[in-house]
C-alpha cells in the first residue's frame, strides 16, 4: 500500500558542490531526508519500473536513510532498487553500477571526507544515468522542489536485511542487495595490467594503503591483497566504521599523517596511498616523495598509455580551474586538447560523455577517467602501480623525469575554515570589485597579467556557469585563485590556491614553502585576508 505522508519544506536544502551535505542532527529531523529524496524523485520523474541504485560510505545514519529511501523509491514506481551489501558502495563503484546495470540513477549517501558520527556530517547526492553527479540544472530544480514539497510517498514494508545478498520483493518492486566490490574489481582488471603489477610485487615491490576506516577497505583488500598479491596487512584501517575511528577520512598531510610518517621513514615501502570516506579521492606518496594531485594528474596523463585499458592513448585532459596547469603542459606536448572546468566533478561529465577527454582531475585529490563518471581513488592508485610496474621506476624518479621534461609547478592550497559567512562574502565581494584594477600592478616580483572571475561555458551544451572563483594570473605562469567552498558545513571556508611555475631548466628541487613565499605574501596583499577574517594563518594547508 502506498501512503502519502504530509510534510512541509525545510529551508536550505540546496545541493552544493557534491549534493546536500549537513550535520546528522539536521538530517535526522522528521521528514528531512524523506523530503529531499522525494524532491529528487519528483524532479527526475523516473519511468515506471526504472532501476535506482542506493549506496553509501557506511557512515553513521547510512542504514537509516537507506531503509527510508528504499520505501520511498518503491512507492514512487521504481521497479528495482540495487543496494550495496551493508549499505556500502564507494562513489566510483556506484557510478559503475549505474552504468553496468542500466539504472536510471543513484542516491549516493556520503559526506565524502567529512567526519562521521552522531554530531558529524551526512550527505545525499543524486547521480544520473551516465553515472555522474546530476548537472546544475537538475540540482537547481531539486532545490526549487524542496521549497514547495508538501508530501512524500512510502510503502508499508519491513526493513530489508542489508547484510544478506539477494532479492526481496517490496511492494510492487524488488530490492536486490548486491556485492559492492566484485563488479568494480572486475572492471579494474580490464583496465590495468594486473600481471605486470603482480610480477613487480613478486620481485619485491612493496606498498601501504590507508583505507582510513572508510569505504575503500573492502575494495582495497580484494584488489591489492587478493588479486595483486601484496602482503597481508598492506591495507591499513581496512574495516569501515560509522565514525571512521573518530578521524576525518580525508587523505591529506594532516589526517593521513601516519601514512606520511611511514613513507618518509628510512624503511618506507616503495609506494603509499590513501583514499577518503566514499572512495573517490586519492593520495599518492612515494618513498620520501609526496605527489601533489595536480602533478599526479599530469604524470598519469603522460604515462597512461602504458595501461591496457588506455593503450590507444589519451584523447584529451580536463582539470578543474584551481588545479595547477601542469596537465595543460602534457596536453600541449601530446597535441591533445586541455579543458579548464569549474570546481566539482559534475563539470567533467559532458566532456567524458562526448569523448572529448580520457582523463580528468582536481587539485583536491580527485583523478579519474572515462571508465566511470566519478573521481576514483582506487583507480588512481592502480594507474600509478601499473605505470611504476611497467616502467620499473620509483615515484621520485618518475616525478624528477616529468619535471625535467615539462617544468615543475609548485603548489599549495590554504584553507581558512569556519569563517563567519558575512566576512568571507565581504572578502570575495571586495576583491571582485577590485579585480579590473589588478592587471599591470606588481606584488614584489610578481606582475599581474590578468585577473577575472572565472566563468565557464560548457563546450558540449553551451551551459554557462558564472562566478566560479577569482583568478589572478602572473607573468611567467604563476597564479593565485580565491574561492569559497561549496561543501563546508560550518560557516564559510575560503580556499586560496597558490601555484608557481618553474620551467624545465629552472629550480626543480626546491622546498615548496620557500618557493611559494612570495605568492603567499601577494595573496594577503591582494585579498586582505587578515583584515577581513582576523586570521593570519590558514587552518589547513594541503
Ligand atoms: C571540494 C573540492 C572539490 C571537490 C569537492 C567534492 O569542494 O574543492 O574539488 O569536487 O570538494 O569532493 P569545495 O569545498 O572546494 O567546494
Ligand atoms: Zn569523497
Amino acid at each position: 500500500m502506498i501512503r502519502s505522508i504530509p510534510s512541509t519544506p525545510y529551508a536550505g536544502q540546496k545541493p552544493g558542490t557534491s549534493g546536500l551535505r549537513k550535520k546528522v542532527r539536521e538530517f535526522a529531523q522528521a521528514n528531512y531526508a524523506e523530503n529531499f529524496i522525494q524532491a529528487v524523485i519528483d524532479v527526475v520523474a523516473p519511468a515506471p519500473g526504472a532501476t535506482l541504485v542506493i549506496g553509501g560510505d557506511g557512515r553513521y545514519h547510512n542504514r537509516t536513510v537507506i531503509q527510508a529511501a528504499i520505501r520511498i523509491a518503491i512507492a514512487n514506481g521504481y521497479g528495482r532498487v540495487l543496494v550495496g551489501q551493508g549499505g556500502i558502495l564507494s562513489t566510483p563503484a556506484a557510478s559503475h553500477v549505474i552504468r553496468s546495470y542500466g539504472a536510471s540513477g543513484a542516491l549516493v549517501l556520503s559526506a565524502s571526507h567529512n567526519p562521521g558520527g552522531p554530531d558529524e556530517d551526512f550527505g545525499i547526492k543524486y547521480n544520473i544515468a551516465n553515472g555522474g553527479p546530476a548537472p546544475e540544472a537538475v540540482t537547481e530544480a531539486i532545490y526549487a522542489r524542496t521549497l514547495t514539497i508538501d508530501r512524500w510517498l512510502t510503502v508499508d514494508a519491513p526493513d530489508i536485511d542489508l547484510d544478506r545478498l539477494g532479492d526481496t520483493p517490496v511492494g510492487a518492486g524488488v530490492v536486490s542487495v548486491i556485492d559492492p566490490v566484485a563488479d568494480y574489481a572486475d572492471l579494474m582488471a580490464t583496465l590495468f595490467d594486473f600481471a605486470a603489477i603482480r610480477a613487480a610485487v613478486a620481485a619485491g615491490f612493496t606498498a601501504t594503503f590507508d583505507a582510513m576506516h572508510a569505504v575503500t577497505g573492502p575494495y582495497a583488500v580484494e584488489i591489492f591483497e587478493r588479486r595483486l598479491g601484496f602482503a597481508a596487512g598492506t591495507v591499513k584501517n581496512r574495516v569501515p566504521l560509522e565514525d571512521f575511528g573518530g578521524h576525518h577520512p580525508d587523505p591529506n598531510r594532516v589526517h593521513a599523517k601516519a601514512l606520511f610518517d611511514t613513507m618518509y621513514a628510512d624503511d618506507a615501502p616503495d609506494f603509499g596511498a590513501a583514499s577518503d570516506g566514499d572512495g573517490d579521492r586519492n593520495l599518492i606518496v612515494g618513498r620520501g616523495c609526496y605527489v601533489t594531485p595536480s602533478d599526479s594528474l599530469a604524470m598519469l596523463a603522460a604515462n597512461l598509455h602504458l595501461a591496457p585499458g588506455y593503450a590507444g592513448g589519451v584523447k584529451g585532459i580536463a582539470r578543474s580551474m584551481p588545479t595547477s596547469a601542469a596537465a595543460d603542459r602534457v596536453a600541449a606536448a601530446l597535441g591533445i586538447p586541455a579543458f579548464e572546468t569549474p570546481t566539482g566533478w559534475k563539470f567533467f561529465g559532458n566532456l567524458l560523455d562526448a569523448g572529448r577527454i580520457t582523463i580528468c582531475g582536481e587539485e583536491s585529490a580527485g583523478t579519474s577517467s572515462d571508465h566511470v563518471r566519478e573521481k576514483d581513488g582506487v583507480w588512481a592508485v592502480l594507474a600509478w602501480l601499473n605505470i611504476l610496474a611497467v616502467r620499473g621506476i620509483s615515484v621520485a624518479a618518475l616525478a624528477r623525469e616529468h619535471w625535467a621534461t615539462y617544468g615543475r609547478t609548485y603548489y599549495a592550497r590554504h584553507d581558512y575554515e569556519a569563517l563567519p559567512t558575512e566576512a568571507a562574502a565581504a572578502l570575495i565581494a571586495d576583491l571582485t570589485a577590485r579585480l579590473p584594477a589588478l592587471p599591470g600592478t606588481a606584488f614584489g616580483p610578481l606582475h599581474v597579467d590578468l585577473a577575472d572571475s572565472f566563468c565557464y561555458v560548457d563546450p558540449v551544451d553551451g551551459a554557462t556557469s558564472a562566478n566560479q572563483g577569482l583568478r589572478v594570473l602572473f607573468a611567467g605562469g604563476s597564479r593565485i585563485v580565491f574561492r569559497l567552498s561549496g561543501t563546508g558545513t560550518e560557516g564559510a571556508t575560503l580556499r586560496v590556491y597558490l601555484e608557481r611555475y618553474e620551467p624545465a631548466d629552472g629550480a626543480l628541487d626546491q622546498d615548496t614553502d620557500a618557493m611559494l613565499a612570495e605568492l603567499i605574501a601577494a595573496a594577503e596583499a591582494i585579498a586582505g585576508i587578515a583584515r577581513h577574517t582576523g586570521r593570519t594563518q590558514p587552518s589547513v594547508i594541503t
Side-chain angles (χ1 to χ4, degrees), residues 13-98:
Q13 292 196 322
K14 189 172 173 61
T17 317
S18 343
L20 180 65
R21 203 171 281 183
K22 300 283 178 190
K23 292 287 171 200
V24 165
R25 57 178 175 274
E26 280 196 60
F27 264 105
Q29 300 172 86
N31 302 329
Y32 191 94
E34 290 84 352
N35 272 5
F36 187 74
I37 293 166
Q38 183 67 53
V40 168
I41 298 174
D42 286 344
V43 165
V44 302
T51 297
L52 179 69
V53 178
I54 305 179
D57 61 13
R59 68 179 56 229
Y60 183 83
H61 208 49
N62 194 41
R63 286 173 181 257
T64 308
V65 174
I66 288 180
Q67 299 289 358
I70 288 171
R71 287 187 276 261
I72 296 171
I74 297 294
N76 278 281
Y78 283 98
R80 190 176 183 201
V81 177
L82 299 169
V83 193
Q85 189 177 25
I88 295 275
L89 274 178
S90 78
T91 292
S95 183
H96 179 54
V97 171
I98 298 173

Side-chain angles (χ1 to χ4, degrees), residues 193-216:
D193 192 342
F194 276 25
I197 301 172
R198 262 199 307 273
V201 173
F205 184 90
T206 53
T208 182
F209 179 86
D210 189 347
M212 305 190 88
H213 288 303
V215 81
T216 51

Side-chain angles (χ1 to χ4, degrees), residues 21 91 110-113 276-281 375:
R21 203 171 281 183
T91 292
S110 169
S112 187
H113 50 289
D276 73 329
D278 62 329
D280 58 357
R281 297 188 174 199
K375 55 197 172 205

Side-chain angles (χ1 to χ4, degrees), residues 17-18 281 343-344 362 364 375 413 483 485-487 495:
T17 317
S18 343
R281 297 188 174 199
T343 294
E362 296 191 276
S364 53
K375 55 197 172 205
R413 186 179 94 185
R483 64 177 281 279
S485 160
T487 60
R495 303 202 195 282

Side-chain angles (χ1 to χ4, degrees), residues 231-259:
T234 294
V235 179
K236 306 286 187 302
N237 303 319
R238 55 175 61 201
V239 178
L241 298 175
E242 286 198 332
D243 67 348
F244 308 114
H247 300 289
H248 291 222
D250 190 356
N252 61 30
R253 276 174 190 272
V254 179
H255 299 298
K257 182 171 183 302
L259 177 73

